[in-house]
Amino acid sequence: QVQLVESGGGLVQAGGSLRLSCAASGRTFSSYAMGWFRQAPGKEREFVAGIASNSGITNYADSVKGRFTISRDNAKNTVYLQMNSLKPEDTAVYYCAANRVIRTLSEGYWGQGTQVTVSS
């Protein structure tokens, strides 16, 4: 069982930056792939970024490549999402997810979400 708690969301102007954090419980954090998804009002939840358990592999949605960076600190049981050059279309609730591999993140554990609002 893995419990995930996101933090770091907020209101930012377009072009600004935010860093999201996701703290995970459990002693097996380092064995899980981690990722971020987001859901905007009226839209389906979509994949944003994922990172393998050993940090050797990362994946990004095309819409965030070059602007967002996912990283993890296994000693702190935490995964991060650094978001730069934010756009109004990045406004969404951001969710942290965990599972054994990146491609199955949506079938694993979820956090409660943190709101990110980007004003134009």
Side-chain angles (χ1 to χ4, degrees):
Q1 187 76 10
V2 177
Q3 292 183 326
L4 306 172
V5 179
E6 302 98 332
S7 61
L11 174 63
V12 64
Q13 288 188 331
S17 298
L18 280 175
R19 188 176 81 155
L20 305 183
S21 299
C22 173
S25 64
R27 293 174 289 180
T28 59
F29 173 80
S30 61
S31 67
Y32 282 86
M34 302 294 296
W36 292 92
F37 290 72
R38 67 187 181 187
Q39 187 167 20
K43 295 187 177 182
E44 293 187 352
R45 191 174 297 188
E46 63 175 1
F47 172 80
V48 175
I51 185 167
S53 58
N54 62 2
S55 302
I57 297 173
T58 56
N59 287 348
Y60 296 92
D62 288 343
S63 58
V64 306
K65 281 181 181 176
R67 300 189 297 123
F68 290 11
T69 302
I70 188 170
S71 61
R72 64 190 296 160
D73 186 337
N74 286 342
K76 295 182 178 180
N77 281 16
T78 302
V79 63
Y80 304 97
L81 185 68
Q82 178 67 44
M83 305 185 294
N84 299 328
S85 302
L86 283 161
K87 305 175 181 180
E89 50 265 42
D90 294 319
T91 295
V93 177
Y94 283 71
Y95 297 90
C96 180
N99 210 340
R100 292 300 182 181
V101 294
I102 293 175
R103 63 180 173 83
T104 63
L105 280 170
S106 63
E107 303 166 21
Y109 300 99
W110 292 95
Q112 82 290 350
T114 185
Q115 176 71 46
V116 171
T117 302
V118 184
S119 62
S120 57

